């Protein structure tokens, strides 16, 4: 029998270096009172003997903020939370904060700034990190502050504050910002470098310097001048109070960055919407002009963002632990994604034996203790989640009595927790503006860890109850307390004085963070991304069941956004994020500085691979099926590292595999289901139903979406099955993006092959000639601006046939009919300058349906460039080196071009933005 999952809050299997933060005065304890909310309640003080947020030595702490921010809800569980949550007594400033591309750490002298560009592989090869390393410190002459406090914050920016009584400094920093914006009084602007800088530009109030190979620009008010004395650089502010520093992608970018140096960012806001199967989000920076009238700015987009924007991007890029960041020259950008599929459970019971399924259901419902002894928030949540998955399954097979018994068990335990005064309750912490469940676990009290993990199970269970008993979910009944849990974990309101906006979800990073205090040298972290999406799916289901479309759409945005981030940053689905020197295809944990093939409590490969799968649900798991290639690599690595198939968490990993290869998963179930112990949040009933239904219907098909959030599509062979759940009181017709429709009765789930024609409606051809655009796009648009991208060196090794640091150009949503007898063609303009012995190579890959699996890959012979400056043409006529797979029609497909140095020890250039550097695909 596997050991129970045990996740100590302060111990990592890998020895990730921890940093320290410190003490602030303890909060006073008020007289306890019960706050009624509908039929439920919470307490306004902790139970006797319980703890709230503390230092690592147990001393109570309150938020470390300025008077201007006092009383405002502090967004714990963020990338910068150590500014406000002082976890260790000997550091009243901050631990390293990873904004990307820049990294930061507050000190007595100001803000340390770094730009890590070379990954380190640590922990016996199990972790990669771009660790913070100081290049320079931004401050004021003489500044010696006793602490650093959070002064203001917005959706992804924050303003740290320093004061030593004479000098006062504020800086504004944020995700994606290459700038640090500073306001200071009482001293001159000062930048102190970690090593003697090289000056590459001196323009009076604008100074360009290089430190440790990284290029920075320093901007003081017009009319002032920077003075360089060794590693100390100072400028008088000429009666002003502002200056800025920027990290440059290259020295020739100085003029562009100078244009925006005094357009100071004042805040950041995301707005989202859901319409007919599509999620749109707009990310906007507020700015003010300190000089002149310029209000624009520059911001670097993460991979999960630039993959889904059509907004123009510059040719500038940055290195980050999340892969290449691409720069946008504007104060806003928008993304558009197909919504991730959500259902209360998999539809029907095809592929299962009803009698056997009922027997499995009864085993759980009639167990002596269906909650398996759970007493704390996490384990109670997992038990509730296990029961919640079985309620709609029981309903599908007509086991009404079992369904109702399960509902009764869930209601009883939920109501117990949602009522103050018993052995378990939720208590509100006025200082930290948070709701803490007691008994707590894994630092959910003292560190404010994991609220989204724990409470997501409660909201999910409540959503299932609401599906069958809407009255129970009314605000006047138990819905009010459920919404209070939602406000703690995923509050959509920025003006709510009781809870912060989206506590754990980082809208710019595209995923949640688990640590409440972020007090680690590696930044914040998240292990179980799937328990994060469990909350998002719960919001979709709860909002749908209660008629709260705003919460429903919030959940859809969170789920869809994090689904792409999980694919890229946990599973490296495109194989473009993890460093080439990191020998793993997946990670168990993402950190601000990188990622680790690890968990908090074990090095067992099954748990490392499974922790980002559980809980397996119709709500939060279907999105994983969008990248079947990543699932296959994941399972393959797990079995390789494990020395064979899964044993302890076999059910979780069978279910995971079924999202890509249902028949293979079914074969493993058939061979191994007789004698195993289900994972603590699983049951044989759910696993049997899940695997059987997917074997019958096929894996999820993310290329087609419905115009209702609670809908999904499955494909087996050439047959698509459409499914949707209608929470409304009247029948409705769901329209899918391929033109098919499905009529769904009121308060029911429906499945079928859809109506509206013999199959997916043909799409017009996208076109077959694609120009390259700096930033990684392929486009049929003409009239681009001629530019070039740098092809990295082969570093003296032979990479013939194996992409090495490739430039990647991609287009998604491609439609076309294969032209008989035609073949791929390309003309690429390359230039090695005067470097001898270079050779460039190209690979073209086709994902015919956009499901994440490349069906055809063609690698061409490399092209040996001459050592003379000037463009040379590398064409398909060099000949195929190798090819795998078969071409077919493109239906919402993806085409990718990769170009890299196969040989040599120098960089070269690839022309973009012209009609002479193109890819031509064999489609009409």
């Amino acid at each position: 029998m596997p050991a129970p999952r045990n996740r100590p809050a302060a111990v990592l299997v890998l020895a990730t270096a921890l940093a320290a933060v410190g003490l602030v005065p303890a909060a006073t304890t008020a007289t306890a009172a019960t706050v009624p909310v509908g039929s439920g309640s919470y307490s306004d003080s902790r139970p006797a003997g319980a703890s709230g947020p503390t230092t690592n030595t147990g001393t109570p702490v309150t938020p470390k903020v300025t008077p201007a921010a006092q009383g405002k809800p502090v967004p714990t569980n963020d990338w910068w939370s150590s500014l406000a949550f002082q976890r260790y007594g000997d550091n009243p400033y901050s631990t390293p904060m990873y904004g990307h591309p820049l990294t930061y750490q507050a000190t007595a002298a100001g803000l340390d700034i770094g730009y890590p560009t070379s990954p380190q592989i640590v922990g016996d090869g199990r972790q990669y990190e771009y660790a913070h390393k100081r290049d320079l410190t931004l401050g004021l002459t003489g500044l010696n502050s006793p602490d650093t406090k959070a002064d203001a914050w917005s959706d992804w920016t924050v303003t740290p504050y320093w004061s030593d009584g004479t000098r006062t400094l504020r800086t504004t920093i944020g995700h994606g910002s290459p700038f640090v914006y500073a306001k200071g009084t009482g001293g001159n602007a000062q930048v102190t470098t970690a090593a003697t800088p090289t000056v590459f530009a001196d323009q009076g109030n604008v100074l360009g310097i290089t430190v440790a190979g990284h290029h920075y620009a320093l901007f003081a008010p017009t009319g002032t001048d920077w003075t360089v004395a060794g590693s100390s650089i100072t400028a008088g502010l000429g009666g002003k109070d502002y200056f800025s520093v920027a990290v440059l992608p290259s020295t020739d970018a100085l003029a562009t960055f100078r244009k925006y140096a005094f357009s100071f960012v004042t805040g950041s806001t995301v707005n989202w919407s859901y319409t007919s199967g599509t999620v749109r989000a707009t990310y906007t920076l507020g700015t003010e002009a300190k000089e002149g009238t310029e209000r624009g700015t520059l911001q670097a987009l993460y991979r999960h963002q630039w993959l889904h924007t059509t907004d123009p991007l510059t040719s500038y890029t940055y290195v980050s632990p999340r892969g290449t960041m691409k720069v946008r020259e504007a104060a806003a950008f928008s993304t558009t994604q197909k919504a991730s599929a959500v259902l209360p459970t998999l539809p029907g019971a095809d592929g299962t034996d009803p009698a056997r399924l009922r027997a499995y259901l009864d085993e759980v419902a009639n167990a002596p203790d269906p909650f398996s002894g759970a007493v704390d928030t996490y384990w109670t949540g997992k038990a509730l989640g296990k029961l919640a998955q079985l309620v709609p399954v029981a309903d599908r097979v007509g086991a009404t009595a079992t369904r109702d018994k399960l509902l009764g068990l869930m209601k009883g335990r939920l109501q117990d927790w949602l009522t103050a005064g018993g052995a378990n309750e939720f208590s509100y912490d006025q200082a930290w503006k948070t709701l803490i469940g007691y008994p707590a676990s894994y630092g959910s009290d003292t560190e404010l860890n994991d609220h989204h993990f724990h409470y997501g199970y409660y909201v999910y269970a409540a959503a299932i109850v609401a599906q069958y008993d809407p009255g129970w979910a009314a605000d006047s009944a138990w819905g009010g307390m459920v919404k209070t849990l939602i406000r703690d974990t995923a509050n959509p309101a920025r003006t709510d004085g009781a809870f912060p906006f989206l506590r754990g979800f980082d809208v710019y990073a595209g995923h949640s963070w688990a640590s409440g205090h972020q007090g680690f040298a590696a930044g914040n972290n998240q292990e179980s991304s799937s328990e994060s999406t469990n909350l998002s799916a719960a919001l979709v289901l709860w909002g749908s069941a209660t008629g709260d479309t705003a919460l429903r759409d919030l959940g859809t945005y969170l789920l869809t956004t994090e689904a792409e981030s999980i694919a890229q940053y946990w599973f490296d689905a495109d194989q473009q994020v993890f460093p080439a020197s990191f020998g793993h295809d997946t990670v168990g944990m993402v950190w601000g500085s990188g990622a680790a093939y690890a968990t908090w409590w074990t090095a067992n490969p099954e748990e490392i691979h499974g922790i980002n799968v559980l809980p397996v649900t119709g709500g939060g798991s279907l999105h994983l099926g969008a990248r079947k290639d990543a699932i296959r690599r994941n399972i393959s690595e797990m079995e390789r590292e494990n020395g064979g198939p899964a044993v302890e968490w076999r059910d979780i990993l069978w279910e995971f595999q079924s999202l890509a290869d249902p028949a293979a998963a079914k074969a493993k179930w058939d061979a191994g289901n007789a004698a195993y112990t289900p994972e603590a949040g699983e049951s044989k009933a759910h696993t049997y139903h899940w695997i059987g239904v997917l074997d019958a219907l096929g894996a999820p098909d993310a290329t087609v979406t419905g115009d209702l959030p609670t809908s999904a599509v499955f494909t087996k062979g050439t047959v698509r099955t459409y499914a949707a759940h209608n929470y409304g009181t009247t029948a409705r017709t769901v329209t899918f993006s391929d033109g098919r429709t499905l009529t769904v009765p009121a308060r029911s789930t429906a499945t079928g092959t859809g109506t509206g024609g013999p199959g997916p409606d043909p799409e017009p051809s996208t076109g077959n000639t694609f120009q390259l655009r700096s930033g990684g796009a392929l486009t049929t648009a003409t009239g681009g601006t001629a530019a070039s991208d740098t092809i990295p060196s082969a570093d003296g090794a032979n990479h013939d046939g194996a992409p090495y640091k490739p430039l990647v150009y991609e287009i998604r949503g491609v439609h076309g009919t294969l032209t008989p007898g035609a073949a791929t063609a390309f003309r690429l303009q390359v230039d090695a300058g005067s470097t001898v012995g270079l050779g460039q190579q190209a690979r073209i890959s086709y994902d015919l349906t956009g499901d994440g699996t490349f069906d055809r890959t063609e690698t061409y012979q490399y092209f040996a460039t001459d050592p003379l400056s000037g463009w040379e043409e590398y064409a398909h006529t060099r000949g195929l080196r190798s090819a795998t797979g078969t071409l077919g029609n493109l239906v919402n497909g993806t085409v990718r071009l990769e170009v890299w140095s196969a040989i040599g020890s120098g960089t070269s250039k690839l022309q973009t933005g012209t009609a002479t550097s193109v890819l031509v695909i064999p489609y009409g």
Side-chain angles (χ1 to χ4, degrees), residues 378 381-382 384-385 453-461 531 534 614-615:
Y378 180 73
K382 279 184 71 79
L384 285 167
F453 293 166
H454 297 204
Y455 303 172
Y457 286 109
Y458 292 72
V459 178
Y460 204 116
E531 287 182 305
N534 186 52
L614 65 79

Side-chain angles (χ1 to χ4, degrees), residues 423-448:
N424 33 252
E425 67 175 18
F426 286 97
S427 301
Y428 183 71
D429 188 302
Q430 177 64 37
W432 287 96
K433 311 292 187 185
T434 186
L435 203 65
I436 303 174
Y438 295 97
S441 50
Y442 307 117
S444 60
D445 51 354
T446 56
E447 301 177 58
L448 299 184

Side-chain angles (χ1 to χ4, degrees), residues 582-668:
F582 182 62
H584 294 281
D585 291 321
T586 190
V587 294
M589 309 177 71
V590 161
W591 288 86
S593 65
Y597 186 78
T599 72
W600 279 106
W601 82 103
T602 181
N604 186 359
E606 295 184 33
E607 281 84 344
I608 292 171
H609 288 258
I611 193 59
N612 286 291
V613 178
L614 65 79
V616 178
T617 72
S621 302
L622 297 181
H623 72 88
L624 295 170
R627 299 308 304 265
K628 296 174 177 58
D629 52 341
I631 293 176
R632 294 177 184 124
R633 288 195 302 271
N634 196 305
I635 294 293
S636 177
E637 180 181 21
M638 185 280 297
E639 294 184 345
R640 185 171 63 250
E641 294 283 335
N642 203 45
V647 178
E648 293 183 9
W649 278 11
R650 66 183 76 180
D651 45 1
I652 297 294
L653 294 160
W654 289 339
E655 291 170 305
F656 184 39
Q657 187 171 17
S658 70
L659 293 167
D661 298 306
K666 176 67 161 49
K668 289 181 178 179

Side-chain angles (χ1 to χ4, degrees), residues 694-707:
L694 287 181
D695 185 51
L697 300 183
D701 183 347
T703 66
V704 181
T705 56
D707 64 358

Side-chain angles (χ1 to χ4, degrees), residues 97-463:
M97 300 172 289
Y98 292 80
H100 306 145
L102 290 171
T103 61
Y104 316 96
Q105 185 168 12
T107 69
L111 185 68
D112 286 357
I113 300 170
Y115 173 41
T117 53
S118 298
Q120 301 297 313
I121 308 300
V122 299
D124 295 325
R126 298 166 69 89
Q127 184 167 355
Y128 77 84
E129 60 179 14
Y130 293 78
H132 168 70
K133 183 178 181 181
R134 170 181 171 263
D135 283 343
L136 52 86
T137 300
L138 180 155
L140 301 172
T141 51
L143 178 65
N144 185 22
S145 180
D147 58 23
T148 308
K149 299 175 180 179
D151 185 55
W153 49 82
S154 57
D155 289 6
W156 63 88
T157 60
V158 64
T159 300
Y161 170 93
W162 295 257
S163 180
D164 62 9
T166 300
R167 290 155 288 264
T168 297
L169 174 69
R170 291 176 173 86
T171 64
T172 296
I173 56 179
H175 276 317
S177 178
F179 283 96
V180 176
Y181 307 94
K183 295 182 180 180
T185 59
N188 292 334
Q190 178 170 284
V191 172
T192 306
T193 57
T196 301
T198 300
V199 176
F200 66 82
D202 187 348
Q203 302 168 6
N205 69 316
V206 177
L207 188 71
I209 61 172
T210 300
V211 182
H214 304 140
H215 310 300
Y216 291 91
L218 283 54
F219 303 98
T222 298
T224 63
D225 192 15
W226 291 99
T227 298
V228 181
S231 61
S232 178
I233 306 172
T234 58
L237 296 178
K240 309 295 185 181
D241 67 351
Y242 55 84
F243 61 104
S244 64
V245 171
V247 62
L248 304 181
S250 59
T251 55
D252 58 10
L254 179 60
T256 300
F257 277 68
R258 179 173 186 166
K259 178 180 177 182
Y260 301 107
F262 301 113
S263 178
F264 272 38
V265 166
T266 57
S268 54
T269 306
V270 63
N271 290 290
W272 61 84
S273 65
Y274 167 83
T275 306
S276 300
T278 299
V279 173
R280 293 180 175 85
T282 299
Y283 301 82
T284 303
L285 292 172
T287 62
E288 64 174 348
K290 290 296 184 181
E291 293 186 7
T293 59
E294 181 60 61
R295 295 285 302 275
T297 192
L298 296 160
Q299 50 188 322
L301 279 62
Y302 284 116
R303 180 175 181 83
H304 76 276
Q305 295 170 323
W306 57 255
L307 281 173
H308 296 285
T309 188
T310 57
D311 293 334
L313 304 176
T314 70
S315 61
Y316 300 133
T317 62
Y318 289 104
V319 174
S320 88
R322 310 294 179 252
T324 300
M325 300 183 80
K326 300 184 178 183
V327 177
R328 165 96 166 135
E329 190 174 4
F333 67 91
S334 297
T335 60
T336 302
Q337 292 178 256
K338 290 184 176 182
S340 294
V342 172
L343 290 171
T345 193
L346 293 183
D350 291 351
T352 67
D353 171 45
R356 184 180 182 184
L357 183 52
R358 290 191 189 97
Y360 282 146
L361 289 164
D362 287 341
E363 283 181 11
V364 178
N366 298 327
D369 179 10
F371 293 91
S372 305
V375 295
D376 63 45
T377 49
Y378 180 73
W379 289 101
T380 299
K382 279 184 71 79
L384 285 167
K386 177 175 68 175
L387 301 182
Q389 297 313 310
L390 299 183
V391 170
V393 174
D395 192 42
R396 297 287 186 271
V397 295
T400 306
T402 301
R403 178 200 68 189
D404 292 346
K405 184 171 185 178
L406 293 168
L407 283 169
L409 290 168
M410 292 162 58
K411 287 180 181 179
R413 190 57 59 98
L414 283 168
Q415 290 167 195
D416 187 32
W417 272 90
L418 299 179
T419 303
N424 33 252
E425 67 175 18
F426 286 97
S427 301
Y428 183 71
D429 188 302
Q430 177 64 37
W432 287 96
K433 311 292 187 185
T434 186
L435 203 65
I436 303 174
Y438 295 97
S441 50
Y442 307 117
S444 60
D445 51 354
T446 56
E447 301 177 58
L448 299 184
N449 295 339
D450 298 356
H451 283 203
H452 61 314
F453 293 166
H454 297 204
Y455 303 172
Y457 286 109
Y458 292 72
V459 178
Y460 204 116

Side-chain angles (χ1 to χ4, degrees), residues 522-874:
N524 214 323
N525 71 88
Q526 178 164 260
E527 180 187 60
S528 184
S529 60
S530 47
E531 287 182 305
S532 179
T533 57
N534 186 52
L535 171 62
S536 302
L539 297 179
V540 177
L541 298 176
W542 173 264
S544 298
T546 61
D548 191 334
T549 56
L551 274 181
R552 180 201 70 181
D553 294 353
L554 168 63
T556 304
Y557 162 68
L558 297 178
L559 175 61
T560 302
T561 302
E562 191 154 20
E564 183 65 73
S565 296
I566 291 167
Q568 299 299 332
Y569 310 141
W570 274 260
F571 297 156
D572 197 16
D574 293 334
Q575 299 180 285
Q576 296 294 316
V577 173
F578 296 172
S581 52
F582 182 62
H584 294 281
D585 291 321
T586 190
V587 294
M589 309 177 71
V590 161
W591 288 86
S593 65
Y597 186 78
T599 72
W600 279 106
W601 82 103
T602 181
N604 186 359
E606 295 184 33
E607 281 84 344
I608 292 171
H609 288 258
I611 193 59
N612 286 291
V613 178
L614 65 79
V616 178
T617 72
S621 302
L622 297 181
H623 72 88
L624 295 170
R627 299 308 304 265
K628 296 174 177 58
D629 52 341
I631 293 176
R632 294 177 184 124
R633 288 195 302 271
N634 196 305
I635 294 293
S636 177
E637 180 181 21
M638 185 280 297
E639 294 184 345
R640 185 171 63 250
E641 294 283 335
N642 203 45
V647 178
E648 293 183 9
W649 278 11
R650 66 183 76 180
D651 45 1
I652 297 294
L653 294 160
W654 289 339
E655 291 170 305
F656 184 39
Q657 187 171 17
S658 70
L659 293 167
D661 298 306
K666 176 67 161 49
K668 289 181 178 179
W669 161 267
D670 288 342
N673 72 82
Y676 81 95
T677 300
E679 187 274 330
E682 262 299 344
S683 64
K684 285 192 174 182
H686 181 254
T687 302
Y688 176 55
H689 178 259
W690 183 273
I691 291 174
V693 169
L694 287 181
D695 185 51
L697 300 183
D701 183 347
T703 66
V704 181
T705 56
D707 64 358
L708 183 69
T710 50
S711 61
V713 180
F714 306 86
T715 297
K716 184 173 185 177
T718 60
V719 178
R720 278 181 178 157
T721 298
Y722 304 82
H725 186 85
N726 176 14
Y727 286 89
T729 56
T730 59
R732 67 162 292 168
T733 297
V734 178
T735 301
F736 291 84
S737 58
D738 62 359
R740 294 299 187 99
T741 61
L742 181 70
T743 299
V744 189
R747 300 178 60 80
S748 300
T749 296
T751 61
T753 54
T755 59
D761 296 336
E763 297 279 352
S765 171
T766 305
N768 69 349
T769 301
F770 299 97
Q771 292 187 15
L772 286 60
R773 291 287 188 265
S774 292
L778 293 173
T779 178
T780 55
T782 58
T785 300
S788 66
D789 289 339
T790 299
I791 306 172
S793 170
D795 295 328
N798 188 316
H799 300 288
D800 183 13
Y804 178 72
K805 300 180 182 178
L807 297 177
V808 180
Y809 303 86
E810 188 173 274
I811 183 170
R812 299 185 179 190
V814 181
H815 301 276
T817 301
L818 182 63
T819 302
T824 304
F826 61 84
R827 302 187 307 277
L828 303 176
Q829 307 303 311
V830 294
D831 180 16
S834 59
T835 306
V836 176
L838 302 189
Q840 297 77 36
Q841 194 160 32
R843 182 168 77 176
I844 294 91
S845 302
Y846 297 87
D847 173 357
L848 301 179
T849 61
D851 67 353
T853 300
F854 284 102
D855 305 281
R856 169 75 172 178
T857 299
E858 302 171 358
T859 303
Y860 289 80
Q861 300 289 354
Y862 71 77
F863 176 73
T865 46
D866 64 35
L868 301 173
S869 295
W871 295 112
E872 300 177 76
E873 186 168 281
Y874 170 28

